[in-house]
Amino acid sequence: IDKALLIGEETITFEADSDVASIVLRTNLEDDNDDDVYEATAGKSFKLIAEVLDEQDYWVEGEEVTFYEYFREADKNFGTRRKIGTATTDRRGEAELSVRREKAGFYAYYARVNGVDSADVLAKNKNAGDCLEVYVAPASAYTVQAKDEVKYAEIDEDVSVNFVFRDRYGSKRAVSVDKDDDVEILDPNGKELKAKDFDIKWDKGELKVTFTPDKEGEYVVRVYIPDTGIYAETVVNTTEFGEAEKLGLKLYDETDTDKIDNAAVRVFDDEDNDVNKFQVRVYEYDKNGIERRLDASDVYFSTSDARIATVDKDGVVTLKKDASGVVTITAVHEESGLTATLDITVSGSPVGIDVEVAVDGLEAKVDLAYVDADGNLAVEDEEGYRIYAGDLEVEEKEEFKNGKASFVLVAEEYGTYSVRIVTDEGLAKTFDVTFVEEKTSPAVGKVVLTIGSNVALVDGEVTELDAPAFIEGGRTFVPVRFLAEAFGAEADWTPKDAPVETVTLTTEDMEIVIGIGDEFLTITKDGEAEVMTFDGAARIKEGRTYLPFRAIAEAFGAEVDYGTDAEGYVTWVSFE
C-alpha cells in the first residue's frame, strides 16, 4: 500500500453561533392551581432555571445569566426590580440559581443575558407581565399574639378580641382553627363557654373572636396554635358602663359603613353629590375606656367653615365644590355637656408629590404624599408607582393610600443618588438621597442609668434613651442602641425582616456577637475569639432589643457600679 504524501496541514475549529436569541425561564416548583403562579413555602429553597438558545434554538454554553426579582404583598403592586444573582450556562444551555425566601408574598422573576430578557417589562397593573411568578406561602404557624393584653367591655354588649398568627419569619398566616379545640373562653367563675356561645372569623389576616359577656369580672380568651400547647390570651374586664368622661368622633362614608381617614378627604366634581358626603359618629367613653355610640339626635353639630364643609343635625358632612383646607367639626352632647372635635383636611385633585427622606447609615426611609394646588394633603384612590433608583435596592414598598406612600432605600456605598418616582397616573418627582457615613462617637467616660427611666447621665450631661433600663431576675437589661453608642460601637442585627436573632457590636478593634436567648457571647479581638458566659439572656421586650448590662460592659472592659435604696433595691447602675 502506498503511503500518503503529506504536503501541508491546517487546523479547522468549528464553533457554535453564540448569539443569544431567546431565554426560557422555568422552575422546579409546581403550579398547583393551573393559574401560572408557582407555589413555594417560606424558608424552603427552590430553583430558577434559565435555558439560553440561539437563533437555531440550539443551546448556548458559557453565557453568564443575570436573574432579577420583583416583590409584592397581597393586593399590592409589584415593587422595584432587584438583581438577585448570576449563573453560567452549561452544555445544555441551562443556568441554575437556587432561591430561598422568608417573607411571604408574590415574587416575579426574569433572566437577562446579552441584552435579551426572558420577560417583558412589568405591566402597570398588578400582574407580572411575562415574568415567572412564584407565591411564597407562610411557613407553619410559629407564634400567636393577642392584639390586646387587657380589654374593657360592657356587660351584655358584644366584644371582639383579635389574634395574629405568624410563621417563624414574621409573616401573617391564616390557620385552620377549631372552635372546640383551639379557642377557650373562661368566664369570671372559671367556667368555659361553649362553642355555640361565641363566633370566630378571619378579618384582614387576623382571627376575631366575638362573644357577649353577661357577668361582671374578668373573662379570659385564649387561642391556641392547633395541635400545640402554644397560646395567647386577652383578659376582658367587664362591667356596667360608668360615667362618661370624654367624647370621640369618627368619620365614615356616606353609607355609614366604612371608616374614613379624616387626615385627608377629597372633593369630587360629580353631579351625584353623595360622593362628597360623610357621616360623623359620636362615641362616649368611661374611665375604663369602654366605648358607647351616641345617637346623633342627642348631639349638637357645628362646622368651623361652611365654605369648606357643612354638617347637619344628623352629623352628615357635605363638602363644598372646589373646597380646600382644614375644617373642624364640633359635637356637643346635650345631656353631659361633653365636647369633641374632628379636624378634616379637604383637598382637591393631586397635582404633585411631596417627599421626606430620613437617612440612617446606608438606609433611607422615604415618605411620599400627594398634594393639591394649595399644598394640602390630597387623597387619591389606592394606586401604584414606580421607583427608578439606579444602584439602590428598594424594600418595604407601600402603595399610595389616603394620599400617602413610603418605601426604604438601601445603598451599598455612601454617596448621593438620584431617585425618580412616577405614579400610574403620570405624576413624577425626582430627588436626591445622600448617604453620609456617621462617625461613631468615642466611648464615653462615665454613664449613669436610673432603672425605669428614659434618661441617663453621660459625662454629667442628660441623654435620652429610646427605652428604659429594667431589672428582671436580678439582672439589669439596657436597650442595645444606647449601649452601642455609649461604647462607640456600631450595632447590627439579623435577620432584618424578621424577629431579631443575633446582635453584633463592632468597634475598630473588636467585635461582640450575642444571640437572643443565649447566656454567652463571643468576643473577637486581634483575630482571636473568646466565649464569655453570664446569667440573664439577651431578649426582646415590647419590640426593643435588650442586652445584659454587666456582661456587655465587662466585655468592653468597663468598670461597673450600682446603687440601692433604703430597702436594698437597685435604683441605678453605672460604668466607666
Side-chain angles (χ1 to χ4, degrees):
I1 303 174
D2 294 334
K3 293 184 179 179
L5 178 63
L6 179 63
I7 60 175
E9 65 181 15
E10 183 72 28
T11 300
I12 301 174
T13 302
F14 295 90
E15 294 183 352
D17 184 358
S18 62
D19 290 337
V20 176
S22 63
I23 308 174
V24 178
L25 186 63
R26 63 181 187 274
T27 178
N28 64 326
L29 297 172
E30 298 292 333
D31 178 9
D32 293 336
N33 297 319
D34 294 327
D35 56 0
D36 294 328
V37 178
Y38 299 91
E39 295 189 6
T41 301
K44 293 186 177 182
S45 299
F46 58 92
K47 294 179 180 179
L48 297 176
I49 305 163
E51 184 181 21
V52 180
L53 305 172
D54 64 13
E55 291 183 352
Q56 284 76 43
D57 287 339
Y58 292 133
W59 299 319
V60 181
E61 183 180 1
E63 292 287 348
E64 184 177 77
V65 179
T66 303
F67 295 84
Y68 296 91
E69 175 186 84
Y70 294 84
F71 172 75
R72 74 173 174 89
E73 296 182 60
D75 301 323
K76 295 184 179 180
N77 289 352
F78 280 96
T80 300
R81 180 194 74 184
R82 73 186 189 100
K83 175 182 173 181
I84 60 171
T86 60
T88 302
T89 56
D90 58 17
R91 56 191 293 182
R92 295 177 59 85
E94 293 181 349
E96 187 176 289
L97 185 72
S98 180
V99 179
R100 178 177 178 270
R101 293 293 173 259
E102 297 177 349
K103 187 174 183 179
F106 292 86
Y107 294 80
Y109 297 96
Y110 77 96
R112 173 182 291 176
V113 56
N114 294 342
V116 179
D117 290 346
S118 66
D120 296 331
V121 176
L122 281 178
K124 288 184 178 181
N125 58 19
K126 293 183 180 180
N127 64 59
D130 291 331
C131 288
L132 185 151
E133 191 170 350
V134 176
Y135 172 65
V136 175
S140 300
Y142 185 70
T143 63
V144 57
Q145 297 172 314
K147 292 299 292 292
D148 300 289
E149 292 184 4
V150 178
K151 195 165 188 175
Y152 291 89
E154 189 175 3
I155 295 176
D156 296 328
E157 296 291 337
D158 287 350
V159 59
S160 294
V161 181
N162 283 37
F163 295 85
V164 180
F165 292 86
R166 297 184 186 275
D167 67 9
R168 64 178 299 138
Y169 307 109
S171 295
K172 282 185 178 182
R173 64 156 297 141
V175 176
S176 181
V177 175
D178 187 282
K179 287 177 65 176
D180 290 307
D181 298 331
D182 304 322
V183 181
E184 181 179 68
I185 302 179
L186 304 178
D187 71 10
N189 297 324
K191 183 179 179 181
E192 185 174 350
L193 271 63
K194 296 181 180 179
K196 66 180 182 61
D197 294 327
F198 61 89
D199 294 316
I200 63 172
K201 72 173 184 178
W202 287 95
D203 183 22
K204 298 179 180 178
E206 299 179 0
L207 181 70
K208 178 182 288 187
V209 181
T210 303
F211 70 103
T212 306
D214 58 3
K215 295 181 178 67
E216 185 171 348
E218 288 187 353
Y219 284 77
V220 179
V221 183
R222 292 192 183 120
V223 170
Y224 292 79
I225 298 178
D227 302 321
T228 75
I230 301 172
Y231 69 89
E233 69 178 28
T234 294
V235 176
V236 179
N237 287 296
T238 59
T239 183
E240 299 288 347
F241 188 90
E243 181 179 355
E245 292 191 344
K246 65 177 181 179
L247 295 187
L249 306 182
K250 299 178 184 179
L251 193 66
Y252 282 73
D253 64 7
E254 75 279 2
T255 64
D256 198 21
T257 55
D258 294 326
K259 191 174 183 300
I260 303 296
D261 184 353
N262 57 289
V265 294
R266 180 177 172 185
V267 178
F268 289 91
D269 185 12
D270 197 305
E271 294 181 358
D272 182 7
N273 200 37
D274 284 345
V275 299
N276 292 321
K277 289 183 181 292
F278 300 88
Q279 176 68 53
V280 174
R281 287 188 187 179
V282 184
Y283 296 88
E284 59 180 352
Y285 301 87
D286 69 5
K287 65 178 182 179
N288 292 320
I290 298 177
E291 178 183 84
R292 174 187 286 178
R293 185 178 179 183
L294 291 173
D295 193 292
S297 62
D298 297 329
V299 179
Y300 293 115
F301 295 96
S302 62
T303 177
S304 64
D305 194 338
R307 294 170 299 178
I308 298 177
T310 60
V311 59
D312 65 15
K313 61 182 180 63
D314 296 318
V316 176
V317 176
T318 303
L319 308 183
K320 295 294 186 177
K321 184 178 179 181
D322 299 325
S324 179
V326 178
V327 62
T328 301
I329 304 299
T330 301
V332 180
H333 187 211
E334 181 179 9
E335 182 179 342
S336 66
L338 293 173
T339 302
T341 61
L342 182 71
D343 290 336
I344 304 173
T345 301
V346 181
S347 72
S349 300
V351 298
I353 303 172
D354 271 354
V355 177
E356 289 188 6
V357 181
V359 178
D360 183 9
L362 289 173
E363 292 188 359
K365 172 72 180 303
V366 181
D367 291 310
L368 308 176
Y370 280 128
V371 291
D372 65 7
D374 295 322
N376 295 317
L377 177 66
V379 173
E380 183 67 34
D381 291 338
E382 185 172 334
E383 66 174 41
Y385 60 99
R386 294 177 179 241
I387 306 168
Y388 301 91
D391 295 330
L392 299 176
E393 296 289 346
V394 179
E395 299 179 354
E396 301 177 31
K397 181 172 181 279
E398 298 288 341
E399 305 298 339
F400 275 101
K401 186 175 182 180
N402 295 321
K404 297 181 179 180
S406 67
F407 57 89
V408 172
L409 296 173
V410 181
E412 292 186 359
E413 299 179 353
Y414 294 102
T416 299
Y417 300 80
S418 179
V419 180
R420 183 171 175 80
I421 306 297
V422 181
T423 71
D424 290 352
E425 298 301 320
L427 288 179
K429 180 77 172 184
T430 301
F431 56 95
D432 289 338
V433 179
T434 301
F435 298 88
V436 179
E437 184 174 7
E438 295 183 3
K439 300 299 182 181
T440 303
S441 59
V444 298
K446 184 171 184 178
V447 177
V448 181
L449 300 100
T450 301
I451 303 302
S453 173
N454 281 78
V455 295
L457 287 178
V458 179
D459 284 339
E461 295 186 3
V462 176
T463 301
E464 290 190 7
L465 285 73
D466 57 348
F470 68 91
I471 293 178
E472 186 174 297
R475 303 298 175 187
T476 303
F477 295 88
V478 179
V480 60
R481 187 180 298 277
F482 177 80
L483 276 178
E485 293 175 352
F487 289 109
E490 182 176 328
D492 194 14
W493 49 87
T494 56
K496 302 291 188 184
D497 56 354
V500 176
E501 296 177 0
T502 304
V503 176
T504 303
L505 303 178
T506 306
T507 64
E508 291 183 357
D509 62 348
M510 68 184 299
E511 178 186 80
I512 298 175
V513 178
I514 182 170
I516 301 301
D518 292 342
E519 293 190 339
F520 66 90
L521 56 80
T522 303
I523 306 170
T524 303
K525 192 171 184 178
D526 298 328
E528 295 186 2
E530 176 187 356
V531 176
M532 173 181 169
T533 61
F534 50 86
D535 294 331
R539 63 199 58 197
I540 296 176
K541 181 178 180 181
E542 296 179 355
R544 303 280 187 180
T545 302
Y546 287 84
L547 300 183
F549 164 71
R550 179 178 291 275
I552 299 298
E554 292 180 351
F556 278 109
E559 293 185 5
V560 178
D561 196 7
Y562 65 92
T564 62
D565 59 16
E567 297 180 356
Y569 293 102
V570 175
T571 57
W572 60 266
V573 293
S574 70
F575 59 84
E576 60 180 326

